[in-house]
Amino acid sequence: MKLNIEGLLVYFPYDYIYPEQYSYMLELKRTLDAKGHGVLEMPSGTGKTISLLSLIVAYQRAFPLDVTKLIYCSRTVPEIEKVVEELRKLMEFYAKETGERNNFLALALSSRKNLCIHPEVSSLRFGKEVDGKCHSLTASYIRAQRHVNPNQPVCRFYEEFDAVGRQVPLPAGIYNLDDLKDFGRRKGWCPYYLARYAILHANIVVYSYHYLLDPKIADLVSKELAKKSVVVFDEAHNIDNVCIDSMSVNITRRTLDRCQNNVDTLQNTIQKIKETDAAKLREEYRRLVEGLKEANVARETDIYLSNPVLPDEILKEAVPGTIRTAEHFVGFLRRFLEYLKSRLRVHHVVQESAPQFLKDIFDKVCIDRKPLRFCAERLQSLLRTLEIADIADFSAVTLISNFATLVSTYSQGFTIIIEPFEDRTPTIANPVLHFSCMDPSIAIKPVFQRFQSVIITSGTLSPLDIYPRILDFRPVTMASFTMTLARTCLCPLIVGRGNDQVALSSKFETREDFAVIRNYGNLLLEMSAVVPDGIVAFFTSYVYMENIVASWYEQGILENIQRNKLIFIETQDAAETSMALEKYQEACENGRGAILLSVARGKVSEGIDFVHHFGRAVIMFGVPYVYTQSRILKARLEYLRDQFQIRENDFLTFDAMRHAAQCVGRAIRGKTDYGLMIFADKRYARADKRGKLPRWIQEHINDGSLNLTVDETVQLSKHFLRQMAQPFRQEDQLGLSLLTLEQLESEEMLQKITQIAHQT
Amino acid sequence: PTEPFALIICINPRLMRHLFVVIDCSRSMEDQDLKPNRLTSTLKLMEAFIDGYFDQNPISQVGIITTKNKRAEKLTDLAGNPKKHIAMLKKAVDTVCVGEPSLYNSLKLAIQTLKHMPGHTSREILIILSSLTTCDPANIYEMTKTLKSLNVRVSIIGLSAEVRVCTVLTRETGGSYHVILDESHFKELLMLHVKPPPTSSSSECSLIRMGFPQHTIGSLADQDAKPAFSMSHLDSSSGPSLGGYFCPQCHSNYTELPVECKVCGLTLVSAPHLARSFHHLFPLDAFIESPVEEHQRNGYDFCQACQGELKDKSIFTCPSCRSVFCVECDLFIHDSLHCCPSCIHSQTAS
């Protein structure tokens, strides 16, 4: 259908539209009009992606000068592929309606591992190996050597691309990862470099968060993207953690040992080169004198392990004399390494700020701040000069040098914590140096500054106002949309008490309480008898889950549950978990019924959808607070309080509730789906917790669903499941939660739609 | 007195049904959300169902299977006598409900019998499932394929919630799947299955022989009367009788119709039985409703059927014979008789 959204003609590739989609597009258009940033929350399964794409594509066509590019960031490869498929549908609709081939270019970009077509390289299992092998075939000096020595193996796909691939732009169309590979095979071009080149003139780019947020990659891939782009972060409820992770470094004793080996190798190689080809080192020295800018003239294949964000002014400066010659630099690295080793030999926890660390390192081993800042860049230059092919081996020394550069560049927003042992195993020495970022806005700031519109969207972003605060930006629109429903297909229930009136809670004091554990087991047992097919239960942590499951086993509860359903458990091992997941789905499919015990913040809670019968109920045992005793967290909380005036408790609750919402949201993936959401902790009934749930869940919590006992929950569930099992057809939705064009344009509906968006 | 005679009749699956009812007797049937518990309530409704079923499909057959403890057992075999089924259902009230049901085993047991049924009859399975899980020895989706190839229609009434495997099973075999809300809804859903399901046009029709024995009442005074044992009661202790229905082919004696002759295998029915079965295929036209005053002017004051005075506001006229009926008789004719008595009367008279 064709929609008119405040004067903009939007092609929407479906015959029906949800009211909230219309409302969403309206808000989105206003954001683009204002050339500002937006935070939009809309429940999953209501067609967020297609709304976004339809509107932004229409906008691009209408105002080609205002918005030149859409950068769509998603989290995982399957999600990226899904977006591309939706886009393909949209473009087919355009072609059908307008009758002309439009010259839109849209493509997905992923890592070498997903795009490589070189027969040997692509058969490697790990991303790092693929990157390393690729580098050893395509680095500029390898290719230069080939002129001398024709037997030197190179990647023929890259050679071919380099020779002709850049002259003709990629033909217009929609390319997912497989399309790119097919195209590459046909032409004999490397799809990865082709895609990286093509994103510069593509209209739509779909790739992972890291290409924008992780400074190590962003600089390479996204540097030249136009300012007039619209950036969309989908499923962005965890964006602050992604930002923080991309800026943090953890150093263990093992890293240092490997680093030591690296440095030795460097030393030997330098020695060798000195004997054979001293001119090369002199040449490098000359370049360094002239400044990094020169050294940094990017040959795209060389810089895949690039430096963390360096302020521009550094690049203009010359590398300080102390580390200019190769030997001096290696010596410098050794000193730095020895210093780190000595720091790891502590017996108590040390926490200090970056300036303190710098002062200490100056006092102890006389390392200045300035050479530290150049460390990463200097190492890259050295590795290039030494013509070391397999860079993957040097990840340890690269990590250390990145750390050196980061610690000397940022004085604010970071903290250094050295722990001699893990909290859980206080007898085993396992020292770790955490260099942890506390301010997510550092990583995302360049994105906000550079692009005219950044849209942050997800199914669970409540409370909306906290994201602008922790990411430090000013949005022009903040809106939360509800799900209009023809039938109430979600049923949130808050269980506060067991049948024996014992208060249910996962809080620390009652964690070991026998009565609470028994009642939790009872709840699961009772639910397993009334809920069909699949139940997903979430615990607050692996340790808590292990304790509870062990105790259920002793009490014989597990045995009783197994009479109703099979039990599968998520573990920290990825292979084991995916196996459990597969069997779980099989059991749901063939009528045996199954329970999946998993952990909030785990893999299952974030990435796996439990549509229809795969998740008829989600039970959240306890409130998933983060492990509050962690020093990194404490430091971050302190920082948030000092810098952003966010109280510790507010942030912790916000964080716990967004994970709880993520977990329970797994069960409902659309309007024809239905599911129970059971919050098994009396603390959920409190207004401060409840108020932080997304609006589309909160709406359905009434006084009758608070502080229930297990029996009451079972009765309500039974009733709900019977109601939901009654036939439900598309006609029932029409006019209420599903609209045709005529229905949409009626006066009354437009009035209703304005109420869907909840501005904050 | 006319001679008993045999006729060849075109039969299609809606006339002759073969239905297996599978009753879940697993642990979950002890749940008390239906009063007094699910099992008792189900069995009671089943009695009503059996009655209704034979009322509407007199020449059809039904069999009952129970499933519990991962096994399936036949409670009654496929047969046309409602009394036997009801007696067994009454007995089944004391069944102990244990373990899980097995859909696979129940279906397997049912098709063992159903697959031998001729193609001009319908093959149906109705499952009343209380449990949310099934314990199967093999992949149930293979069984679905078998059922589909044998043209067996599986319908399910769920007592607790929607289960995925049931949705797939019923969708693939063309059956219906419903979940009850409460006891009255349960009854409503069960009674839906009394009427034969719509069949696809491709289903085969065939001609079969049927006998229409007439009931004779013999008296001892009659010299021609030959006392005979009723074939259906040979096992019981009742003595020989003079009257009854005599098979037109072999003259075996039966006390009740419809029945399949135990001697020569002929299906014995009476005309109203067939009419009742036929009405699903050829429903009786609705009578025309009109205000009562019009007719009183014309001198019709009495209902053609009950001969009572027409007192209600409206009357009903049969479109073919123009006879007039009152409201109650109209209901009775359409719900139970399925043929207009006045039409039949005029046919026999001519």
PDB file of all heavy atoms in Angstrom, chain A residues 529-530 532-533 563-564 589 591-592 613 674 718 722 726, chain B residues 31 33 38 100 132-134 141 159-160 162 164 179-180 185:
ATOM      1  N   ALA A 529       2.793 -28.641  34.542  1.00  0.00           N
ATOM      2  CA  ALA A 529       1.609 -29.468  34.340  1.00  0.00           C
ATOM      3  C   ALA A 529       0.514 -28.749  33.567  1.00  0.00           C
ATOM      4  O   ALA A 529      -0.371 -29.383  33.018  1.00  0.00           O
ATOM      5  CB  ALA A 529       1.073 -29.937  35.683  1.00  0.00           C
ATOM      6  N   VAL A 530       0.551 -27.422  33.539  1.00  0.00           N
ATOM      7  CA  VAL A 530      -0.551 -26.714  32.862  1.00  0.00           C
ATOM      8  C   VAL A 530      -0.143 -26.016  31.573  1.00  0.00           C
ATOM      9  O   VAL A 530      -0.997 -25.675  30.770  1.00  0.00           O
ATOM     10  CB  VAL A 530      -1.238 -25.681  33.791  1.00  0.00           C
ATOM     11  CG1 VAL A 530      -1.869 -26.368  34.972  1.00  0.00           C
ATOM     12  CG2 VAL A 530      -0.296 -24.600  34.219  1.00  0.00           C
ATOM     13  N   PRO A 532       1.415 -25.968  27.893  1.00  0.00           N
ATOM     14  CA  PRO A 532       1.756 -26.934  26.846  1.00  0.00           C
ATOM     15  C   PRO A 532       3.125 -26.654  26.244  1.00  0.00           C
ATOM     16  O   PRO A 532       3.633 -25.542  26.333  1.00  0.00           O
ATOM     17  CB  PRO A 532       0.663 -26.719  25.801  1.00  0.00           C
ATOM     18  CG  PRO A 532       0.257 -25.301  25.967  1.00  0.00           C
ATOM     19  CD  PRO A 532       0.447 -24.975  27.422  1.00  0.00           C
ATOM     20  N   ASP A 533       3.698 -27.661  25.627  1.00  0.00           N
ATOM     21  CA  ASP A 533       4.940 -27.545  24.856  1.00  0.00           C
ATOM     22  C   ASP A 533       6.097 -26.932  25.642  1.00  0.00           C
ATOM     23  O   ASP A 533       6.520 -27.516  26.610  1.00  0.00           O
ATOM     24  CB  ASP A 533       4.689 -26.811  23.536  1.00  0.00           C
ATOM     25  CG  ASP A 533       3.664 -27.534  22.676  1.00  0.00           C
ATOM     26  OD1 ASP A 533       3.652 -28.772  22.718  1.00  0.00           O
ATOM     27  OD2 ASP A 533       2.870 -26.859  22.017  1.00  0.00           O
ATOM     28  N   ARG A 563       8.237 -35.890  34.801  1.00  0.00           N
ATOM     29  CA  ARG A 563       7.073 -36.655  34.375  1.00  0.00           C
ATOM     30  C   ARG A 563       6.243 -35.829  33.393  1.00  0.00           C
ATOM     31  O   ARG A 563       5.544 -36.377  32.554  1.00  0.00           O
ATOM     32  CB  ARG A 563       6.225 -37.024  35.579  1.00  0.00           C
ATOM     33  CG  ARG A 563       6.782 -38.250  36.259  1.00  0.00           C
ATOM     34  CD  ARG A 563       5.701 -38.920  37.045  1.00  0.00           C
ATOM     35  NE  ARG A 563       5.913 -38.673  38.453  1.00  0.00           N
ATOM     36  CZ  ARG A 563       4.954 -38.754  39.363  1.00  0.00           C
ATOM     37  NH1 ARG A 563       3.723 -38.994  38.990  1.00  0.00           N
ATOM     38  NH2 ARG A 563       5.225 -38.560  40.632  1.00  0.00           N
ATOM     39  N   ASN A 564       6.295 -34.502  33.534  1.00  0.00           N
ATOM     40  CA  ASN A 564       5.517 -33.646  32.640  1.00  0.00           C
ATOM     41  C   ASN A 564       6.316 -33.211  31.419  1.00  0.00           C
ATOM     42  O   ASN A 564       5.794 -33.175  30.318  1.00  0.00           O
ATOM     43  CB  ASN A 564       5.057 -32.388  33.381  1.00  0.00           C
ATOM     44  CG  ASN A 564       4.127 -32.728  34.514  1.00  0.00           C
ATOM     45  OD1 ASN A 564       3.357 -33.673  34.414  1.00  0.00           O
ATOM     46  ND2 ASN A 564       4.213 -31.978  35.595  1.00  0.00           N
ATOM     47  N   GLU A 589       8.375 -29.821  19.562  1.00  0.00           N
ATOM     48  CA  GLU A 589       7.751 -30.086  18.271  1.00  0.00           C
ATOM     49  C   GLU A 589       6.922 -31.367  18.317  1.00  0.00           C
ATOM     50  O   GLU A 589       5.817 -31.401  17.797  1.00  0.00           O
ATOM     51  CB  GLU A 589       8.855 -30.188  17.208  1.00  0.00           C
ATOM     52  CG  GLU A 589       8.402 -30.145  15.788  1.00  0.00           C
ATOM     53  CD  GLU A 589       7.811 -28.807  15.404  1.00  0.00           C
ATOM     54  OE1 GLU A 589       8.464 -27.756  15.617  1.00  0.00           O
ATOM     55  OE2 GLU A 589       6.701 -28.812  14.889  1.00  0.00           O
ATOM     56  N   GLY A 591       5.575 -33.000  20.850  1.00  0.00           N
ATOM     57  CA  GLY A 591       4.532 -33.185  21.852  1.00  0.00           C
ATOM     58  C   GLY A 591       4.993 -33.655  23.213  1.00  0.00           C
ATOM     59  O   GLY A 591       4.193 -33.774  24.115  1.00  0.00           O
ATOM     60  N   ARG A 592       6.277 -33.926  23.362  1.00  0.00           N
ATOM     61  CA  ARG A 592       6.736 -34.377  24.675  1.00  0.00           C
ATOM     62  C   ARG A 592       6.733 -33.214  25.654  1.00  0.00           C
ATOM     63  O   ARG A 592       6.449 -33.380  26.818  1.00  0.00           O
ATOM     64  CB  ARG A 592       8.151 -34.979  24.547  1.00  0.00           C
ATOM     65  CG  ARG A 592       8.682 -35.580  25.828  1.00  0.00           C
ATOM     66  CD  ARG A 592       7.860 -36.783  26.248  1.00  0.00           C
ATOM     67  NE  ARG A 592       8.262 -37.300  27.541  1.00  0.00           N
ATOM     68  CZ  ARG A 592       7.799 -36.867  28.698  1.00  0.00           C
ATOM     69  NH1 ARG A 592       6.926 -35.899  28.705  1.00  0.00           N
ATOM     70  NH2 ARG A 592       8.198 -37.386  29.839  1.00  0.00           N
ATOM     71  N   HIS A 613       4.949 -22.325  19.919  1.00  0.00           N
ATOM     72  CA  HIS A 613       5.007 -23.421  20.877  1.00  0.00           C
ATOM     73  C   HIS A 613       6.378 -23.585  21.514  1.00  0.00           C
ATOM     74  O   HIS A 613       6.514 -24.308  22.478  1.00  0.00           O
ATOM     75  CB  HIS A 613       4.591 -24.728  20.207  1.00  0.00           C
ATOM     76  CG  HIS A 613       5.423 -25.065  19.008  1.00  0.00           C
ATOM     77  ND1 HIS A 613       5.327 -24.365  17.836  1.00  0.00           N
ATOM     78  CD2 HIS A 613       6.370 -25.993  18.805  1.00  0.00           C
ATOM     79  CE1 HIS A 613       6.173 -24.876  16.967  1.00  0.00           C
ATOM     80  NE2 HIS A 613       6.815 -25.862  17.515  1.00  0.00           N
ATOM     81  N   TYR A 674       1.284 -16.121  21.483  1.00  0.00           N
ATOM     82  CA  TYR A 674       0.834 -15.782  22.833  1.00  0.00           C
ATOM     83  C   TYR A 674       1.734 -16.439  23.856  1.00  0.00           C
ATOM     84  O   TYR A 674       2.404 -17.437  23.553  1.00  0.00           O
ATOM     85  CB  TYR A 674      -0.633 -16.174  23.059  1.00  0.00           C
ATOM     86  CG  TYR A 674      -0.950 -17.639  22.989  1.00  0.00           C
ATOM     87  CD1 TYR A 674      -0.823 -18.447  24.108  1.00  0.00           C
ATOM     88  CD2 TYR A 674      -1.398 -18.213  21.813  1.00  0.00           C
ATOM     89  CE1 TYR A 674      -1.122 -19.792  24.057  1.00  0.00           C
ATOM     90  CE2 TYR A 674      -1.711 -19.564  21.747  1.00  0.00           C
ATOM     91  CZ  TYR A 674      -1.561 -20.352  22.880  1.00  0.00           C
ATOM     92  OH  TYR A 674      -1.865 -21.683  22.827  1.00  0.00           O
ATOM     93  N   LYS A 718      -4.122 -21.299  33.536  1.00  0.00           N
ATOM     94  CA  LYS A 718      -5.027 -22.242  32.890  1.00  0.00           C
ATOM     95  C   LYS A 718      -6.082 -21.499  32.094  1.00  0.00           C
ATOM     96  O   LYS A 718      -6.354 -21.811  30.933  1.00  0.00           O
ATOM     97  CB  LYS A 718      -5.740 -23.070  33.964  1.00  0.00           C
ATOM     98  CG  LYS A 718      -5.143 -24.424  34.204  1.00  0.00           C
ATOM     99  CD  LYS A 718      -6.065 -25.161  35.141  1.00  0.00           C
ATOM    100  CE  LYS A 718      -5.593 -26.557  35.420  1.00  0.00           C
ATOM    101  NZ  LYS A 718      -6.403 -27.194  36.443  1.00  0.00           N
ATOM    102  N   ARG A 722      -6.478 -21.427  27.930  1.00  0.00           N
ATOM    103  CA  ARG A 722      -7.688 -21.902  27.257  1.00  0.00           C
ATOM    104  C   ARG A 722      -8.251 -20.824  26.364  1.00  0.00           C
ATOM    105  O   ARG A 722      -8.697 -21.089  25.245  1.00  0.00           O
ATOM    106  CB  ARG A 722      -8.733 -22.293  28.292  1.00  0.00           C
ATOM    107  CG  ARG A 722      -8.453 -23.635  28.871  1.00  0.00           C
ATOM    108  CD  ARG A 722      -9.665 -24.177  29.580  1.00  0.00           C
ATOM    109  NE  ARG A 722      -9.385 -25.535  29.998  1.00  0.00           N
ATOM    110  CZ  ARG A 722      -9.774 -26.037  31.144  1.00  0.00           C
ATOM    111  NH1 ARG A 722     -10.456 -25.296  31.994  1.00  0.00           N
ATOM    112  NH2 ARG A 722      -9.491 -27.279  31.451  1.00  0.00           N
ATOM    113  N   GLN A 726      -8.481 -20.741  21.665  1.00  0.00           N
ATOM    114  CA  GLN A 726      -9.649 -20.622  20.805  1.00  0.00           C
ATOM    115  C   GLN A 726      -9.203 -20.102  19.439  1.00  0.00           C
ATOM    116  O   GLN A 726      -8.214 -19.404  19.322  1.00  0.00           O
ATOM    117  CB  GLN A 726     -10.676 -19.667  21.430  1.00  0.00           C
ATOM    118  CG  GLN A 726     -11.142 -20.095  22.806  1.00  0.00           C
ATOM    119  CD  GLN A 726     -11.584 -21.547  22.849  1.00  0.00           C
ATOM    120  OE1 GLN A 726     -12.341 -22.001  22.003  1.00  0.00           O
ATOM    121  NE2 GLN A 726     -11.056 -22.307  23.815  1.00  0.00           N
TER     122      GLN A 726
ATOM    123  N   ASP B  31      -7.677 -34.161  37.274  1.00  0.00           N
ATOM    124  CA  ASP B  31      -7.814 -32.738  37.559  1.00  0.00           C
ATOM    125  C   ASP B  31      -9.289 -32.397  37.803  1.00  0.00           C
ATOM    126  O   ASP B  31     -10.171 -32.910  37.136  1.00  0.00           O
ATOM    127  CB  ASP B  31      -7.287 -31.942  36.354  1.00  0.00           C
ATOM    128  CG  ASP B  31      -6.947 -30.534  36.750  1.00  0.00           C
ATOM    129  OD1 ASP B  31      -7.776 -29.921  37.445  1.00  0.00           O
ATOM    130  OD2 ASP B  31      -5.869 -30.056  36.373  1.00  0.00           O
ATOM    131  N   ASP B  33     -10.894 -29.512  37.487  1.00  0.00           N
ATOM    132  CA  ASP B  33     -11.465 -28.272  36.955  1.00  0.00           C
ATOM    133  C   ASP B  33     -12.784 -28.526  36.223  1.00  0.00           C
ATOM    134  O   ASP B  33     -13.554 -27.604  35.996  1.00  0.00           O
ATOM    135  CB  ASP B  33     -10.452 -27.507  36.080  1.00  0.00           C
ATOM    136  CG  ASP B  33      -9.872 -28.359  34.985  1.00  0.00           C
ATOM    137  OD1 ASP B  33     -10.218 -29.545  34.912  1.00  0.00           O
ATOM    138  OD2 ASP B  33      -9.079 -27.828  34.190  1.00  0.00           O
ATOM    139  N   ARG B  38     -12.229 -34.587  35.628  1.00  0.00           N
ATOM    140  CA  ARG B  38     -12.269 -34.582  34.174  1.00  0.00           C
ATOM    141  C   ARG B  38     -12.779 -35.918  33.626  1.00  0.00           C
ATOM    142  O   ARG B  38     -13.545 -35.953  32.681  1.00  0.00           O
ATOM    143  CB  ARG B  38     -10.879 -34.301  33.618  1.00  0.00           C
ATOM    144  CG  ARG B  38     -10.476 -32.848  33.722  1.00  0.00           C
ATOM    145  CD  ARG B  38      -9.151 -32.634  33.023  1.00  0.00           C
ATOM    146  NE  ARG B  38      -8.699 -31.248  33.180  1.00  0.00           N
ATOM    147  CZ  ARG B  38      -7.557 -30.788  32.695  1.00  0.00           C
ATOM    148  NH1 ARG B  38      -6.759 -31.584  32.029  1.00  0.00           N
ATOM    149  NH2 ARG B  38      -7.220 -29.528  32.865  1.00  0.00           N
ATOM    150  N   GLU B 100       1.262 -41.242  31.469  1.00  0.00           N
ATOM    151  CA  GLU B 100       1.036 -40.347  30.340  1.00  0.00           C
ATOM    152  C   GLU B 100       0.260 -41.084  29.257  1.00  0.00           C
ATOM    153  O   GLU B 100       0.316 -42.302  29.170  1.00  0.00           O
ATOM    154  CB  GLU B 100       2.364 -39.881  29.729  1.00  0.00           C
ATOM    155  CG  GLU B 100       3.276 -39.126  30.657  1.00  0.00           C
ATOM    156  CD  GLU B 100       4.350 -40.030  31.227  1.00  0.00           C
ATOM    157  OE1 GLU B 100       4.328 -41.235  30.940  1.00  0.00           O
ATOM    158  OE2 GLU B 100       5.205 -39.516  31.979  1.00  0.00           O
ATOM    159  N   LEU B 132      -0.955 -32.693  28.446  1.00  0.00           N
ATOM    160  CA  LEU B 132      -0.249 -31.765  27.565  1.00  0.00           C
ATOM    161  C   LEU B 132       0.966 -32.424  26.955  1.00  0.00           C
ATOM    162  O   LEU B 132       1.744 -31.802  26.268  1.00  0.00           O
ATOM    163  CB  LEU B 132       0.182 -30.520  28.347  1.00  0.00           C
ATOM    164  CG  LEU B 132      -0.971 -29.675  28.828  1.00  0.00           C
ATOM    165  CD1 LEU B 132      -0.468 -28.630  29.802  1.00  0.00           C
ATOM    166  CD2 LEU B 132      -1.651 -29.008  27.662  1.00  0.00           C
ATOM    167  N   THR B 133       1.160 -33.664  27.273  1.00  0.00           N
ATOM    168  CA  THR B 133       2.318 -34.344  26.717  1.00  0.00           C
ATOM    169  C   THR B 133       1.905 -35.707  26.209  1.00  0.00           C
ATOM    170  O   THR B 133       0.884 -36.252  26.606  1.00  0.00           O
ATOM    171  CB  THR B 133       3.458 -34.457  27.772  1.00  0.00           C
ATOM    172  OG1 THR B 133       4.023 -35.748  27.656  1.00  0.00           O
ATOM    173  CG2 THR B 133       2.947 -34.291  29.150  1.00  0.00           C
ATOM    174  N   THR B 134       2.668 -36.242  25.307  1.00  0.00           N
ATOM    175  CA  THR B 134       2.401 -37.586  24.819  1.00  0.00           C
ATOM    176  C   THR B 134       3.705 -38.355  24.822  1.00  0.00           C
ATOM    177  O   THR B 134       4.765 -37.783  24.577  1.00  0.00           O
ATOM    178  CB  THR B 134       1.797 -37.566  23.410  1.00  0.00           C
ATOM    179  OG1 THR B 134       2.083 -38.800  22.759  1.00  0.00           O
ATOM    180  CG2 THR B 134       2.366 -36.442  22.566  1.00  0.00           C
ATOM    181  N   TYR B 141       5.203 -37.840  13.482  1.00  0.00           N
ATOM    182  CA  TYR B 141       4.985 -37.237  12.155  1.00  0.00           C
ATOM    183  C   TYR B 141       4.957 -38.301  11.057  1.00  0.00           C
ATOM    184  O   TYR B 141       4.320 -38.120  10.029  1.00  0.00           O
ATOM    185  CB  TYR B 141       6.027 -36.161  11.887  1.00  0.00           C
ATOM    186  CG  TYR B 141       5.791 -34.974  12.783  1.00  0.00           C
ATOM    187  CD1 TYR B 141       6.507 -34.818  13.962  1.00  0.00           C
ATOM    188  CD2 TYR B 141       4.798 -34.042  12.491  1.00  0.00           C
ATOM    189  CE1 TYR B 141       6.249 -33.771  14.829  1.00  0.00           C
ATOM    190  CE2 TYR B 141       4.531 -32.996  13.337  1.00  0.00           C
ATOM    191  CZ  TYR B 141       5.261 -32.854  14.498  1.00  0.00           C
ATOM    192  OH  TYR B 141       4.982 -31.817  15.338  1.00  0.00           O
ATOM    193  N   LEU B 159      -8.545 -30.653  26.557  1.00  0.00           N
ATOM    194  CA  LEU B 159      -9.200 -30.244  27.799  1.00  0.00           C
ATOM    195  C   LEU B 159      -8.389 -29.189  28.545  1.00  0.00           C
ATOM    196  O   LEU B 159      -8.871 -28.597  29.497  1.00  0.00           O
ATOM    197  CB  LEU B 159      -9.414 -31.449  28.716  1.00  0.00           C
ATOM    198  CG  LEU B 159     -10.273 -32.584  28.162  1.00  0.00           C
ATOM    199  CD1 LEU B 159     -10.611 -33.561  29.263  1.00  0.00           C
ATOM    200  CD2 LEU B 159     -11.561 -32.051  27.554  1.00  0.00           C
ATOM    201  N   SER B 160      -7.131 -28.952  28.144  1.00  0.00           N
ATOM    202  CA  SER B 160      -6.368 -27.973  28.930  1.00  0.00           C
ATOM    203  C   SER B 160      -5.800 -26.815  28.116  1.00  0.00           C
ATOM    204  O   SER B 160      -6.036 -25.675  28.445  1.00  0.00           O
ATOM    205  CB  SER B 160      -5.253 -28.653  29.711  1.00  0.00           C
ATOM    206  OG  SER B 160      -4.988 -29.922  29.226  1.00  0.00           O
ATOM    207  N   GLU B 162      -3.630 -25.519  24.107  1.00  0.00           N
ATOM    208  CA  GLU B 162      -3.260 -25.855  22.743  1.00  0.00           C
ATOM    209  C   GLU B 162      -1.883 -26.511  22.717  1.00  0.00           C
ATOM    210  O   GLU B 162      -0.904 -25.937  23.173  1.00  0.00           O
ATOM    211  CB  GLU B 162      -3.226 -24.570  21.907  1.00  0.00           C
ATOM    212  CG  GLU B 162      -2.936 -24.806  20.459  1.00  0.00           C
ATOM    213  CD  GLU B 162      -2.659 -23.506  19.726  1.00  0.00           C
ATOM    214  OE1 GLU B 162      -2.847 -22.427  20.316  1.00  0.00           O
ATOM    215  OE2 GLU B 162      -2.240 -23.579  18.567  1.00  0.00           O
ATOM    216  N   ARG B 164       1.095 -28.194  20.341  1.00  0.00           N
ATOM    217  CA  ARG B 164       1.576 -28.075  18.975  1.00  0.00           C
ATOM    218  C   ARG B 164       1.309 -29.326  18.143  1.00  0.00           C
ATOM    219  O   ARG B 164       0.819 -29.259  17.023  1.00  0.00           O
ATOM    220  CB  ARG B 164       3.083 -27.793  19.020  1.00  0.00           C
ATOM    221  CG  ARG B 164       3.764 -27.798  17.686  1.00  0.00           C
ATOM    222  CD  ARG B 164       3.310 -26.643  16.848  1.00  0.00           C
ATOM    223  NE  ARG B 164       3.998 -26.656  15.577  1.00  0.00           N
ATOM    224  CZ  ARG B 164       3.827 -25.727  14.649  1.00  0.00           C
ATOM    225  NH1 ARG B 164       2.990 -24.745  14.868  1.00  0.00           N
ATOM    226  NH2 ARG B 164       4.475 -25.788  13.531  1.00  0.00           N
ATOM    227  N   VAL B 179     -10.178 -26.420  21.860  1.00  0.00           N
ATOM    228  CA  VAL B 179      -9.852 -26.536  23.278  1.00  0.00           C
ATOM    229  C   VAL B 179     -11.038 -26.014  24.054  1.00  0.00           C
ATOM    230  O   VAL B 179     -11.607 -24.976  23.704  1.00  0.00           O
ATOM    231  CB  VAL B 179      -8.582 -25.734  23.613  1.00  0.00           C
ATOM    232  CG1 VAL B 179      -8.332 -25.757  25.099  1.00  0.00           C
ATOM    233  CG2 VAL B 179      -7.391 -26.291  22.873  1.00  0.00           C
ATOM    234  N   ILE B 180     -11.418 -26.735  25.095  1.00  0.00           N
ATOM    235  CA  ILE B 180     -12.632 -26.361  25.820  1.00  0.00           C
ATOM    236  C   ILE B 180     -12.382 -25.180  26.749  1.00  0.00           C
ATOM    237  O   ILE B 180     -11.257 -24.954  27.205  1.00  0.00           O
ATOM    238  CB  ILE B 180     -13.174 -27.538  26.644  1.00  0.00           C
ATOM    239  CG1 ILE B 180     -12.180 -27.927  27.746  1.00  0.00           C
ATOM    240  CG2 ILE B 180     -13.463 -28.734  25.757  1.00  0.00           C
ATOM    241  CD1 ILE B 180     -12.825 -28.680  28.858  1.00  0.00           C
ATOM    242  N   HIS B 185     -19.066 -25.683  27.124  1.00  0.00           N
ATOM    243  CA  HIS B 185     -18.345 -25.560  25.860  1.00  0.00           C
ATOM    244  C   HIS B 185     -17.858 -26.931  25.397  1.00  0.00           C
ATOM    245  O   HIS B 185     -17.896 -27.249  24.207  1.00  0.00           O
ATOM    246  CB  HIS B 185     -17.166 -24.602  26.047  1.00  0.00           C
ATOM    247  CG  HIS B 185     -16.484 -24.220  24.769  1.00  0.00           C
ATOM    248  ND1 HIS B 185     -15.136 -24.234  24.627  1.00  0.00           N
ATOM    249  CD2 HIS B 185     -16.972 -23.850  23.579  1.00  0.00           C
ATOM    250  CE1 HIS B 185     -14.815 -23.886  23.397  1.00  0.00           C
ATOM    251  NE2 HIS B 185     -15.917 -23.630  22.738  1.00  0.00           N
TER     252      HIS B 185
END
